[in-house]
């Protein structure tokens, strides 16, 4: 049975995607009913499908081989835009609220337009289906109603007025002839006993029919319960069939998605390799930076020592400048004293020269 269903759902004309887009899929938290729970780690393909056999529209999305969206569009559904890139709708059959996050506002608007379009198509299909059901069920209900009412009508038990009138006429006409009163009276008594027996028989039949009707009513209630159970079982089977349809109808989509995932994995591996190389380069730069930092700290320490020595030398230089200035002042004073002594010495030498000249003259004169 399973193999037959799978082969049946793989028929190309049964259900085809009519619109697809990519989005991040979320579901409302069943416990809090407030927080969103992501059902896909990355953006996945979300498609509208049309089942021509059952004339229904569905929204289906797969994450790998898992169906994360399987929602049948009904006329009561409403797609709501909650932000520029996020929209949601409630699915009473799945007892959840789906949310989609799009990459742009344009994709969100396009998805919302398609939702409204397919919702209207689902409403028209439902109205046509109801009209067909009403046209089909109305004649059968009328015939069934007639069958149920026929055993319970008073006419079927006691007869109609037209059927009872001849009996009254037969009973009254003999009384109009006094000469033949005895024979009609006995005949009338026999007819009356006959009808009493018929009435008793009809009453018994009526009781049997009433009991049968009560039993039928009880059977109808039991049948309704069984029908409800069958409907629940059919709904469960329908959901199971829907899941199988979802898996089977998107086989090509799964293959494409797998190819995309493989390509994405290769791209991520290449990106990872580039990142690892960049990390190695950054580690080398960090080591170089640490060495430069150590050199900087060493140079800073040396600079501090040089600054301290410079301050000491500046102090020594200032002391030397003061001593030099004092020495220069002393030398200047010595020079001044020396000049004074030279001037005095020159005067003394001149005086001695004059004294020699005078002594020489005196020697010549003597």
């Amino acid at each position: 049975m399973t193999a037959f269903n799978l082969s049946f759902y793989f028929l190309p004309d049964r259900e085809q995607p009519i619109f697809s887009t990519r989005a991040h899929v979320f579901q409302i938290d069943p416990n809090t009913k407030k927080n969103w729970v992501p059902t896909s780690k990355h953006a996945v393909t979300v498609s509208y499908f049309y089942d021509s056999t059952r004339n229904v529209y569905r929204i289906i999305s797969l994450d790998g081989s898992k169906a994360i969206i399987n929602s049948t569009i009904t006329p009561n559904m409403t797609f709501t835009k909650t932000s520029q890139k996020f929209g949601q709708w409630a699915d009473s059959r799945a007892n959840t609220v789906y949310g989609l996050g799009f990459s742009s506002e344009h994709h969100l608007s396009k998805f919302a337009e398609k939702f409204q379009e397919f919702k209207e198509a689902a409403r028209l299909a439902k109205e046509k289906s109801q009209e067909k059901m009403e046209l089909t069920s109305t004649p059968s209900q009328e015939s069934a109603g007639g069958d149920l009412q026929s055993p319970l009508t008073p006419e079927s038990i006691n007869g109609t007025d037209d059927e009872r009138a001849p009996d009254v006429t037969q009973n009254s006409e003999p009384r109009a002839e006094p000469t033949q009163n005895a024979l009609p009276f006995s005949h009338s008594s026999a007819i009356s006993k006959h009808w009493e027996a018929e009435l008793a028989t009809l009453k018994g039949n009526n009781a049997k029919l009433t009991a049968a009707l009560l039993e039928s009513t009880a059977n109808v209630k039991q049948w309704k319960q069984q029908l409800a159970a069958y409907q629940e079982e059919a709904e469960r089977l329908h959901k199971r069939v829907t899941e199988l349809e979802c898996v089977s109808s998107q086989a090509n989509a799964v293959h494409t998605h797998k190819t995309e995932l493989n390509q994405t994995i290769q791209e991520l591996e290449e990106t990872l390799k580039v990142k690892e190389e960049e990390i190695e380069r950054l580690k080398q730069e960090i080591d170089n930076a640490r060495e430069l930092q150590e050199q900087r700290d060493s140079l800073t320490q040396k600079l501090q020592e040089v600054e301290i020595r410079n301050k000491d030398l500046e102090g020594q230089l200032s002391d030397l400048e003061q001593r030099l200035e004092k020495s220069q002042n002393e030398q200047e004073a010595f020079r001044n004293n020396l000049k004074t002594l030279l001037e005095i010495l020159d005067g003394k030498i001149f005086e001695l020269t004059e004294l020699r000249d005078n002594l020489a003259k005196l020697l010549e004169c003597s």
Side-chain angles (χ1 to χ4, degrees):
M1 182 66 182
T2 305
F4 173 77
N5 287 336
L6 289 176
S7 62
F8 175 75
Y9 293 129
F10 271 107
L11 290 176
D13 295 333
R14 174 171 176 79
E15 195 169 20
Q16 296 293 333
I18 50 180
F19 177 78
S20 297
T21 185
R22 293 184 67 82
H24 291 271
V25 181
F26 300 85
Q27 284 190 14
I28 201 71
D29 190 346
N31 298 322
T32 62
K33 298 296 184 181
K34 294 180 181 179
N35 301 324
W36 289 106
V37 178
T39 56
S40 62
K41 296 181 180 179
H42 49 79
V44 296
T45 302
V46 182
S47 302
Y48 285 99
F49 279 78
Y50 175 63
D51 188 347
S52 58
T53 304
R54 294 184 298 166
N55 198 17
V56 295
Y57 294 86
R58 293 193 300 159
I59 302 174
I60 296 175
S61 179
L62 293 178
D63 188 5
S65 60
K66 177 183 177 183
I68 56 178
I69 298 180
N70 185 7
S71 178
T72 301
I73 300 176
T74 63
N76 298 327
M77 286 185 178
T78 302
F79 185 81
T80 305
K81 298 179 182 178
T82 57
S83 67
Q84 292 183 350
K85 298 182 181 180
F86 193 86
Q88 65 184 46
W89 78 94
D91 190 339
S92 59
R93 294 185 178 181
N95 193 23
T96 187
V97 179
Y98 293 104
L100 296 179
F102 295 89
S103 59
S104 65
E105 186 177 0
H106 172 73
H107 290 87
L108 172 61
S109 301
K110 191 66 176 178
F111 188 89
E113 291 175 2
K114 292 295 182 181
F115 191 97
Q116 186 64 28
E117 177 183 345
F118 299 144
K119 170 186 172 182
E120 184 66 20
R123 183 185 66 80
L124 295 175
K126 183 177 180 181
E127 290 178 355
K128 292 180 180 180
S129 177
Q130 288 179 350
E131 290 176 358
K132 291 180 180 179
M133 290 177 63
E134 290 175 357
L135 293 174
T136 305
S137 61
T138 301
S140 60
Q141 290 177 356
E142 290 177 355
S143 61
D147 295 338
L148 289 174
Q149 290 178 359
S150 58
L152 299 177
T153 55
E155 289 80 359
S156 63
I157 299 175
N158 299 326
T160 61
D161 294 339
D162 295 337
E163 292 174 349
R164 290 194 299 270
D167 298 335
V168 177
T169 305
Q170 292 175 0
N171 291 335
S172 59
E173 283 180 354
R175 295 174 186 174
E177 299 179 357
T179 56
Q180 299 178 355
N181 189 24
L183 183 60
F185 179 76
S186 61
H187 182 67
S188 176
S189 177
I191 292 174
S192 178
K193 290 180 180 180
H194 173 73
W195 285 114
E196 287 178 358
E198 288 288 337
L199 180 60
T201 303
L202 291 174
K203 285 182 178 180
N205 292 334
N206 188 23
K208 292 179 181 180
L209 291 172
T210 303
L213 179 61
L214 293 175
E215 183 179 0
S216 300
T217 303
N219 291 333
V220 167
K221 291 181 180 179
Q222 183 178 1
W223 293 339
K224 286 183 178 180
Q225 294 176 355
Q226 292 179 356
L227 179 60
Y230 292 155
Q231 288 177 346
E232 292 179 358
E233 181 67 15
E235 185 67 21
R236 186 183 66 81
L237 293 175
H238 174 69
K239 289 182 179 179
R240 179 59 181 167
V241 168
T242 303
E243 293 177 358
L244 294 175
E245 289 176 355
C246 176
V247 174
S248 61
S249 61
Q250 284 198 340
N252 294 330
V254 169
H255 180 70
T256 304
H257 185 60
K258 183 178 180 181
T259 305
E260 293 177 355
L261 287 177
N262 291 332
Q263 185 177 0
T264 304
I265 290 172
Q266 292 178 356
E267 293 176 356
L268 290 175
E269 288 178 351
E270 294 176 356
T271 305
L272 181 60
K273 186 181 292 184
V274 172
K275 294 296 182 183
E276 288 177 351
E277 294 176 355
E278 185 176 357
I279 288 172
E280 291 296 329
R281 183 179 59 80
L282 290 174
K283 285 182 178 179
Q284 293 179 357
E285 291 182 356
I286 290 172
D287 294 336
N288 295 332
R290 287 177 180 174
E291 293 178 358
L292 292 174
Q293 183 67 27
E294 292 176 356
Q295 294 178 2
R296 178 178 173 275
D297 294 338
S298 177
L299 291 174
T300 302
Q301 186 176 0
K302 290 181 179 180
L303 180 62
Q304 290 177 354
E305 294 176 356
V306 169
E307 288 178 351
I308 293 172
R309 291 180 60 187
N310 189 21
K311 288 181 180 179
D312 293 338
L313 292 174
E314 286 179 355
Q316 294 177 5
L317 180 62
S318 177
D319 188 20
L320 290 174
E321 287 177 351
Q322 291 178 358
R323 291 172 61 182
L324 179 63
E325 185 178 358
K326 183 177 178 182
S327 176
Q328 288 177 352
N329 291 333
E330 290 177 354
Q331 288 179 1
E332 186 68 24
F334 177 76
R335 286 176 181 175
N336 292 330
N337 292 330
L338 186 60
K339 286 179 179 181
T340 304
L341 289 175
L342 288 173
E343 290 177 355
I344 293 171
L345 183 60
D346 289 337
K348 293 298 182 181
I349 291 172
F350 182 73
E351 289 177 357
L352 288 174
T353 302
E354 289 182 350
L355 179 60
R356 178 180 175 276
D357 292 338
N358 290 327
L359 288 175
K361 287 178 178 182
L362 285 175
L363 288 175
E364 291 177 355
C365 287
S366 62

